[in-house]
Amino acid sequence: MKFDTNELTIYEVESLHKSLLDEFSEDNLVLDMQNVNRVDMSVIQLFISAQKTAKESSKKFALQNVNEELAQIIKNSACDFLLEENG
């Protein structure tokens, strides 16, 4: 799944959640974050939930193409485990 926006916030969480559920029902969930520079805590929380769901379903959740700015936001939130691929 690829994003066309450079910022993901609480305003996109509901539609993002629905998209993630649709993707998960089909396959592993790999999010291409190439165009995303900023996320807020609501999106990080959604990613944590998606990672947990993936683990419980024996599926993969991964963030790809995370730039330095976004990686720093995730690290500052103490959620840098989201940057590690799991399988």
Side-chain angles (χ1 to χ4, degrees):
M1 172 182 282
K2 190 170 184 169
F3 301 102
D4 294 327
T5 183
N6 69 345
E7 185 173 82
L8 294 173
T9 66
I10 194 167
Y11 301 107
E12 292 84 30
V13 163
E14 186 175 352
S15 64
L16 180 56
H17 181 248
K18 289 177 184 176
S19 296
L20 294 180
L21 287 175
D22 290 343
E23 290 284 324
F24 251 145
S25 68
E26 298 291 321
D27 201 3
N28 294 321
L29 188 56
V30 179
L31 305 180
D32 186 343
M33 305 299 287
Q34 180 177 357
N35 296 324
V36 180
N37 295 319
R38 301 185 71 88
V39 295
D40 68 11
M41 277 309 295
S42 65
V43 175
I44 291 173
Q45 289 170 331
L46 182 61
F47 290 166
I48 292 168
S49 177
Q51 186 180 56
K52 182 179 176 187
T53 300
K55 192 173 192 175
E56 291 170 352
S57 304
S58 299
K59 292 188 178 185
K60 177 182 176 182
F61 171 85
L63 301 177
Q64 283 186 333
N65 300 318
V66 176
N67 65 37
E68 284 185 42
E69 183 178 0
L70 181 56
Q72 192 60 49
I73 290 169
I74 293 170
K75 287 176 186 175
N76 288 345
S77 68
C79 296
D80 47 328
F81 58 88
L82 289 171
L83 299 173
E84 301 168 3
E85 286 202 32
N86 63 58

